[in-house]
Amino acid sequence: MTGRILTAPEWPTDAACGGSNGRTFATATPTEAKEICGRCLVRPECLYDALASKASNGIWGGLTYHERRALPVLPSDRGAALNVLRQHLDTPAAPAKASEPVKSKTPAPRGKAGRVSAERKPRKRAVRKAEPAPAVPREDVAELLRQRVAQRQIMKDLKVSHQVIVATREAYGIPRRGGSGHRYSPERRAENERRTIEMLKAGATYQQISDEVGISQPTIFDIRVKAGLPAPDNRGGQPARSKAEALALHTEPYGDGHARWTGTIAGRSFQLNAEGQQLNARRVAFEQHHGRPPEGRVYSGCGVTGCIAGAHLTDETLRAARPKEEPPVTVQALKNLLDEIDEQGGPQAARENRLHLTPPTAPSHEEPDLMPTTTDAEPMPVGQGLTAAQANAETLPVGVLLKWGDDHPDADVRDQAARGRAILTGLRQRHAADAELTAVNTELERLEKRLAELHARQAELAPVKKGKRKASAVVRDYDNRTVRAWAATNGVDCPGVGQIPKRVLDAWRSANTPAGGATS
């Protein structure tokens, strides 16, 4: 020991181990390492630096990690702390957790004072740990290290230890990936940022950049934000869906050419996410079918609520070019039809096909002209020029009323007219189906009745097959209980259960047959 205080860079030159603790003790046992430390003159300095750096492995100053943890709290001044450590190291019995004797399960004999006798104290047994086998470099490990495979992956694939990988690096001179501590140099970091920005501008995904450059995805995110670049459309590597693909994904065909929307619905709008945009699904479906963008609002002209089939969608241009056919149904006839539906069970009866509706009557030709005719050059103002008869909704034809609603400046009125057309179309289809169903049911009942008659006639005319005869009803002229009671009274032998023998029946009939010959 020396009284001169050595600084951290100076004491390793005087250390018995040469100042490289881990390498010197790599092949030495703890006992041999402590023997080397016992001859060292700079044990306090070595121990102080190990405590200051919070070393968790190795033997420093002749003490293991658990022995260093048992040391008292040292002063903040380096010189005072070294004096405390010198006094502690000069003490013969230093605290050592591993040197405590193992307690025996057999109780030791005790003396008069109740203390354990000194003669019977258990002997200390030095437990020597098996020396680890030296790590042997391997060619397959070196090959994976040259390919820059992660160390953890090599340990998992080849079932080797960390010491084997370290020994292989030293034997083959393979540097660690990314330099010491896996930290990039400023030049390497700048090169990674440059390549990352180029790949982001080219549309590469985070995973592709991570595989190519060798940096993590959070680092790629930081580089992208710092460079002010937009986020890629899809980080999974798949391109954004086109309008046709997204529409086909969320459309379900059904019925007679109809299509049901299965995607997102916001209010009355069907939302379609395609090509990085949020679009109206009805307008996209119209454009896909007709080959042009729609003009104005897009409606379903088939009368089915929610239908999104492109062939059933109409815009302002198609509605204007559609011929104006006024259905021969008045508002009063429509009201009568709805009342008749309610009387026969309402919507539930319609769903079960139990309606038998009366066809609506067409307006008579004697009715006055309900809408003044105008030329295209001078359109009639809406709501003006109507007589008292024309303003009466009870006699106003539905077609005239819908035409008035289509031309109205108020959007709500136009929407009501469009819904009215859809309702009328559905009612016509429903009425035609009910009428056809009624005719089919009537014909079916007639045919079933005729078929039953033919089956009955067939049974009458069919010959009786040999070995079989028609079953005839058997009429008995006696009662079992009456015959058995008579037999018991007259001493005739008759079984109490089962079929009555013929001899008993003949005796009973002879005894009970009157002079006229008829049995009672």
Side-chain angles (χ1 to χ4, degrees), residues 95-418:
K97 185 176 182 181
S99 63
E100 295 181 0
V102 180
K103 295 182 179 180
S104 176
K105 297 183 179 180
T106 305
R110 298 181 178 274
K112 296 182 179 180
R115 297 180 179 178
V116 180
S117 302
E119 295 79 11
R120 295 300 183 95
K121 287 185 178 180
R123 295 181 180 180
K124 299 180 180 179
R125 294 183 179 180
V127 180
R128 295 178 59 87
K129 296 183 180 179
E131 297 182 4
V136 180
R138 293 176 50 169
E139 178 63 29
D140 52 353
V141 176
E143 182 65 24
L144 295 179
L145 289 175
R146 294 190 189 99
Q147 297 176 8
R148 302 183 64 185
V149 179
Q151 177 175 312
R152 185 173 299 176
Q153 188 67 29
I154 297 176
M155 296 171 63
K156 179 180 179 181
D157 295 342
L158 301 182
K159 309 299 183 193
V160 296
S161 63
H162 171 72
Q163 289 77 9
V164 173
I165 297 178
V166 173
T168 304
R169 286 186 184 276
E170 294 179 356
Y172 289 87
I174 302 175
R176 296 181 65 88
R177 185 175 63 173
S180 177
H182 296 279
R183 294 183 179 179
Y184 297 119
S185 62
E187 294 78 10
R188 180 66 179 278
R189 191 182 300 275
E191 177 65 16
N192 291 343
E193 292 182 2
R194 184 188 64 79
R195 295 178 59 190
T196 301
I197 293 175
E198 289 180 355
M199 296 185 70
L200 285 173
K201 290 181 178 179
T205 62
Y206 283 8
Q207 187 63 43
Q208 294 172 349
I209 299 174
S210 179
D211 296 340
E212 179 69 22
V213 183
I215 57 178
S216 63
Q217 296 192 14
T219 304
I220 300 173
F221 174 81
D222 295 338
I223 295 175
R224 182 185 65 80
V225 173
K226 182 179 177 181
L229 298 177
D233 293 339
N234 194 325
R235 297 184 185 181
Q238 298 179 356
R241 293 189 180 93
S242 63
K243 295 180 181 179
E245 293 174 346
L247 189 65
L249 181 63
H250 298 292
T251 305
E252 179 184 14
Y254 73 100
D256 187 14
H258 302 292
R260 182 184 296 108
W261 176 252
T262 60
T264 305
I265 300 177
R268 297 183 180 180
S269 176
F270 297 162
Q271 293 183 352
L272 179 69
N273 294 320
E275 300 178 0
Q277 306 177 47
Q278 191 173 46
L279 308 170
N280 188 305
R282 284 194 179 96
R283 302 184 69 86
V284 173
F286 181 92
E287 183 177 358
Q288 292 290 330
H289 181 78
H290 296 279
R292 62 175 180 82
E295 297 290 340
R297 301 187 65 178
V298 178
Y299 299 140
S300 175
C302 61
V304 178
T305 304
C307 179
I308 198 174
H312 297 175
L313 298 177
T314 61
D315 64 344
E316 296 292 345
T317 304
L318 293 180
R319 288 192 291 271
R322 186 172 52 191
K324 305 297 183 180
E325 297 180 358
E326 297 181 1
V329 181
T330 62
V331 176
Q332 183 61 37
L334 180 60
K335 292 174 62 178
N336 296 338
L337 185 61
L338 295 176
D339 293 340
E340 189 175 357
I341 293 175
D342 294 337
E343 291 176 359
Q344 297 186 18
Q348 184 64 28
R351 286 190 290 268
E352 297 176 358
N353 296 326
R354 293 188 288 104
L355 295 179
H356 302 281
L357 304 177
T358 304
T361 58
S364 61
H365 297 286
E366 288 77 11
E367 292 183 357
D369 188 8
L370 301 182
M371 179 66 74
T373 57
T374 59
T375 61
D376 296 336
E378 296 179 357
M380 185 192 69
V382 177
Q384 299 181 9
L386 295 179
T387 62
Q390 296 168 351
N392 185 7
E394 300 295 335
T395 59
L396 185 64
V398 175
V400 176
L401 184 61
L402 294 178
K403 176 63 172 62
W404 171 81
D406 292 337
D407 298 337
H408 203 281
D410 192 348
D412 292 339
V413 177
R414 293 197 300 270
D415 291 344
Q416 292 178 8

